């Protein structure tokens, strides 16, 4: 572990000293042993602050949106999930590839629930790869298990399940803020005058936020699991987006987002032979 | 919630200007009778119908929602309804997944000459929704505690 960490520090230091990158985003220590925090290092001497352990969990890609027009490149440690998020942002025209320098760090799995469904440990997209790629985990057979569990309920049970889930939603919008697919300049939920989203704390408004959020990101979800990780109420909100992915998989065959930066997402294109139930 | 005998459902039909709206107009011209609780909202294209409209309709007290557009291939804007088809194939399943009865949401392709199909669809949806009774799911009047009871 420490050898890899040393490689990361050296690479970051070199990038900063050569002036290739303006700053590097990575993980740093906190005062807790089992936590890391995203850090931004500008000074080559500070590159020793980067850490790499099983608690380097946060996805870093979304920080790129806070600095869309940097003077120099932004260095970014890139695991599988970050590279898919970056593909997402590139496809959505949010960042420019030449503005980022991606330091590939194949991931060996972290101590987080969000890594249990991981299928892409190695970065798909990188400028330099620091060590040999890891073996990808076997395709998780249980990818849509919990969706199937909910589908097995009766409609009323499903309503109560989701209703009770969203009753405890505090509408902090953390799931939106962390999601690499949620990159609108202004979110519909913040538009107070259009009336799309009610602001009351009621089951109805909470559920409508939940379903709408799921639908907005559903076909572009890279299943990184950040939304569930940041949810302060621990709501199983990926159950909604995964339902959409499951349906897309069933309707048109294998579908996965963020594997490249060019292919159009599912709801942004159409096929003349799409399945039709509306005749 | 007990279903009163006099219950008349409120149904919103989003109709595309070029096909279904014309079809509904033709139904009127031909003096065909369709249930008066179907409220037609004219949209430029079925692709205009944001899935949020459906959620919002349920929230504001509709008991059923219809989305109607031109048959695939007949869209006035060439491709609008192909996107609609994809979108609502997903949305329909997502609504069911969230507990909305599948009978409460319908999408149909109705062309400008299919006045009878519009009448039949409207009657069919109205009848189904009438049987189901008033919609309580997603209704904004129901507060957290009340709706928990109504849902169970």
């Amino acid at each position: 572990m420490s050898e890899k960490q040393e490689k990361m520090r050296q690479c970051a230091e070199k990038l900063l000293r050569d002036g290739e990158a303006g700053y590097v985003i990575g993980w740093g220590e906190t005062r807790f042993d089992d936590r890391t925090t995203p850090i931004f290092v500008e000074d080559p001497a500070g590159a020793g602050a980067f850490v790499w352990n099983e608690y380097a969990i946060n996805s870093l890609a979304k920080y790129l949106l806070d600095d869309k027009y940097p003077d120099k490149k932004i260095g970014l440690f890139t695991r599988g999930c970050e590279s898919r998020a970056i593909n997402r942002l590139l496809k959505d025209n949010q960042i420019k590839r030449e503005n980022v320098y991606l330091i590939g760090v194949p991931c060996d799995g972290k101590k987080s629930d969000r890594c249990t469904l991981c299928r892409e440990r190695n970065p798909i997209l990188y400028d330099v790869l620091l060590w040999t790629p890891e073996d990808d985990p076997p395709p998780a057979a249980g990818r849509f298990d919990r969706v199937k569990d909910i589908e097995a309920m009766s409609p009323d049970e499903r309503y109560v399940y989701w209703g009770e889930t969203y009753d405890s939603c505090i509408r902090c919008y953390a799931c939106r803020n962390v999601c690499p697919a949620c990159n609108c300049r202004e979110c519909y939920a913040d538009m107070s005058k259009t009336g799309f989203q009610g602001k009351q704390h009621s089951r109805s408004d909470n559920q409508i936020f939940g379903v709408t959020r799921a639908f907005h990101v559903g076909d572009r979800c890279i299943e990184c699991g950040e939304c569930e990780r940041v949810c302060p109420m621990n709501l199983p909100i990926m159950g909604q987006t995964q339902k959409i992915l499951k349906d897309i998989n069933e309707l048109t065959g294998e579908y996965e987002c963020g594997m490249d930066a060019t292919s159009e997402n599912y709801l942004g294109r159409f096929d003349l032979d799409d399945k039709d139930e509306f005749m | 919630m007990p279903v009163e005998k006099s219950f008349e459902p409120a149904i919103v039909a989003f109709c595309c200007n070029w096909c279904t709206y014309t079809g509904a107009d033709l139904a009127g011209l031909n003096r065909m009778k369709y249930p008066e609780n179907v409220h037609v909202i004219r949209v430029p294209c079925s692709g205009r119908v944001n899935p949020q409209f459906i959620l919002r309709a349920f929230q504001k007290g509709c008991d059923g929602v219809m989305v109607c557009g031109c048959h695939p291939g007949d869209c006035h804007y060439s491709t609008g309804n192909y996107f609609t088809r994809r979108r609502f194939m997903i949305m329909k399943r997502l609504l069911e997944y969230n507990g909305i009865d599948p009978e409460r949401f319908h999408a149909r392709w109705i062309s400008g000459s299919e006045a009878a199909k519009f009448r039949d669809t409207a009657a069919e949806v109205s009848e189904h929704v009438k049987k189901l009774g008033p919609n309580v799911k997603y209704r904004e009047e129901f507060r957290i505690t009340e709706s928990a009871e109504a849902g169970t």
Side-chain angles (χ1 to χ4, degrees):
Chain A
M1 197 62 84
S2 60
E3 192 189 320
K4 290 176 177 174
Q5 183 171 295
E6 204 47 49
K7 276 186 181 166
M8 285 168 72
R9 290 176 178 179
Q10 280 166 5
C11 177
E13 194 193 346
K14 188 167 179 298
L15 279 179
L16 293 169
R17 197 166 351 92
D18 296 350
E20 185 147 8
Y23 56 93
V24 176
I25 311 178
W27 303 272
E29 263 177 12
T30 64
R31 59 204 172 93
F32 303 106
D33 288 341
D34 59 348
R35 294 280 161 86
T36 62
T37 182
I39 54 168
F40 303 72
V41 173
E42 283 180 39
D43 181 9
F50 289 117
V51 295
W52 177 254
N53 55 30
E54 64 268 41
Y55 302 110
I57 292 165
N58 297 45
S59 179
L60 305 174
K62 190 120 193 234
Y63 291 110
L64 295 175
L65 291 188
D66 295 335
D67 191 3
K68 286 189 188 176
Y69 307 102
D71 298 332
K72 286 181 184 173
K73 286 187 177 194
I74 304 173
L76 186 90
F77 289 114
T78 311
R79 297 166 296 176
C81 43
E82 266 109 16
S83 65
R84 289 179 72 180
I86 285 161
N87 273 335
R88 176 78 274 136
L89 298 175
L90 288 171
K91 172 70 194 71
D92 293 344
N93 229 350
Q94 295 293 320
I95 54 171
K96 288 200 172 74
R97 180 69 181 86
E98 59 267 26
N99 282 345
V100 288
Y101 188 92
L102 305 175
I103 312 163
V105 284
C107 174
D108 41 10
K110 305 292 179 196
K111 281 199 173 163
S112 171
D113 287 344
R114 85 182 187 90
C115 299
T116 49
L117 285 176
C118 178
R119 301 194 295 162
E120 211 63 51
R121 285 182 168 176
N122 301 308
I124 302 161
L125 195 66
Y126 52 82
D127 292 308
V128 62
L129 197 64
L130 288 192
W131 54 80
T132 47
E134 307 276 345
D135 293 334
D136 272 323
R143 186 180 174 195
F144 296 128
D145 268 4
R146 62 170 157 179
V147 178
K148 286 177 191 153
D149 288 348
I150 299 168
E151 280 173 343
M153 301 178 192
S154 74
D156 284 344
E157 282 170 352
R158 285 199 292 265
Y159 175 74
V160 171
Y161 172 81
W162 284 114
E164 283 173 354
T165 298
Y166 284 115
D167 278 352
S168 46
C169 172
I170 56 171
R171 301 271 288 285
C172 61
Y173 301 140
C175 47
R176 173 199 72 188
N177 291 348
V178 80
C179 177
C182 276
N183 48 38
C184 292
R185 186 172 300 186
E186 190 182 9
C187 177
Y188 90 100
D190 290 335
M191 297 174 184
S192 51
K193 289 187 180 159
T194 55
F196 272 128
Q197 176 66 55
K199 301 284 179 189
Q200 294 180 75
H201 175 62
S202 65
R203 175 179 278 195
S204 162
D205 276 328
N206 288 359
Q207 272 189 294
I208 282 179
F209 170 69
V211 175
T212 310
R213 189 198 77 85
F215 198 84
H216 282 187
V217 304
D219 65 322
R220 302 180 299 130
C221 172
I222 57 165
E223 291 175 275
C224 61
E226 282 284 280
C227 48
E228 279 191 3
R229 182 182 67 80
V230 297
C231 182
M233 309 309 283
N234 290 321
L235 304 181
I237 41 184
M238 260 182 91
Q240 299 269 22
T241 44
Q242 280 198 309
K243 164 69 179 165
I244 296 176
L245 288 172
K246 178 170 177 281
D247 286 340
I248 297 174
N249 270 285
E250 280 168 7
L251 288 169
T252 55
E254 196 65 26
Y255 179 77
E256 197 135 23
C257 297
M259 302 308 279
D260 60 67
T262 46
S263 61
E264 188 60 83
N265 46 288
Y266 181 78
L267 291 175
R269 60 188 153 87
F270 64 86
D271 213 330
L272 294 180
D273 318 317
D274 276 339
K275 203 177 166 210
D276 197 332
E277 291 172 354
F278 304 151
M279 296 309 269
Chain B
M1 184 179 277
V3 181
E4 292 166 26
K5 269 193 178 163
S6 62
F7 167 66
E8 283 298 329
I11 294 164
V12 159
F14 292 99
C15 294
C16 129
N17 179 37
W18 304 98
C19 287
T20 317
Y21 195 81
T22 327
D25 199 23
L26 188 65
L29 280 173
N30 290 341
R31 315 246 169 216
M32 289 176 181
K33 185 149 176 60
Y34 65 84
E36 54 272 27
N37 44 30
V38 174
H39 304 276
V40 176
I41 294 179
R42 181 163 69 158
V43 286
C45 174
S46 53
R48 170 69 183 90
V49 183
N50 185 332
Q52 182 123 32
F53 294 175
I54 285 101
L55 294 171
R56 204 66 176 154
F58 285 128
Q59 188 182 26
K60 292 289 174 188
C62 287
D63 303 300
V65 179
M66 288 160 64
V67 175
C68 309
C70 311
H71 284 266
D74 293 349
C75 181
H76 183 76
Y77 309 101
S78 311
T79 56
N81 54 4
Y82 288 116
F83 290 103
T84 315
R85 178 163 69 182
R86 275 209 165 178
R87 194 176 301 152
F88 285 104
M89 287 290 271
I90 300 291
M91 192 59 188
K92 186 180 155 209
R93 286 166 170 73
L94 190 64
L95 284 174
E96 283 174 37
Y97 183 68
N98 277 273
I100 296 267
D101 200 291
E103 294 293 346
R104 291 196 190 273
F105 172 72
H106 289 266
R108 281 285 180 282
W109 309 129
I110 299 169
S111 82
S113 55
E114 291 177 322
K117 186 175 177 187
F118 180 81
R119 178 198 57 195
D120 296 344
T121 313
E124 185 195 317
V125 173
S126 172
E127 197 184 317
H128 283 309
V129 174
K130 215 170 193 172
K131 262 185 221 153
L132 288 171
N135 181 37
V136 290
K137 295 167 182 172
Y138 284 79
R139 281 284 284 274
E140 65 179 353
E141 288 108 296
F142 297 102
R143 300 279 146 187
I144 281 176
T145 45
E146 283 176 273
S147 63
E149 284 162 5
T152 39

